[in-house]
Amino acid sequence: GKTDSKGTITVLTESTLPSVTAEIDGVKTTLIEKEGTAGTYTGEITAPKKEGVYDVTISASDQASNATTLLLKWTIGNYSHKISGLA
């Protein structure tokens, strides 16, 4: 992504989860389930102001407090968007 630009993040998972978040550079965003699209959560994130490779942590938890976390890398610079997942 480009420095200091906004982007939409979408996560596909179980429907009606009480918590789905995305965190980048210490800023946590709550993702909201899209109306009419069960299990699709979206939110707006802002790229950091400095170029570099940043961790994006996606977290989801269910009603029984079972939690799942996914780590992605987001390359920020003044060129095209690029997100890659890590296991």
Side-chain angles (χ1 to χ4, degrees):
K2 293 185 179 183
T3 56
D4 206 28
S5 65
K6 294 189 183 301
T8 300
I9 189 163
T10 301
V11 174
L12 304 176
T13 187
E14 298 175 42
S15 63
T16 66
L17 293 177
S19 176
V20 179
T21 61
E23 183 174 346
I24 182 170
D25 202 28
V27 178
K28 188 179 284 189
T29 301
T30 298
L31 306 183
I32 305 299
E33 191 167 18
K34 284 181 71 174
E35 196 171 314
T37 310
T40 301
Y41 297 80
T42 62
E44 187 175 88
I45 58 174
T46 301
K49 295 181 183 197
K50 290 175 58 178
E51 291 184 4
V53 178
Y54 292 85
D55 290 341
V56 179
T57 304
I58 307 298
S59 299
S61 60
D62 64 14
Q63 288 79 358
S65 297
N66 297 309
T68 299
T69 301
L70 174 67
L71 176 65
L72 306 170
K73 295 290 185 181
W74 191 11
T75 302
I76 305 298
N78 290 316
Y79 40 84
S80 64
H81 295 279
K82 189 177 188 180
I83 290 185
S84 58
L86 295 179

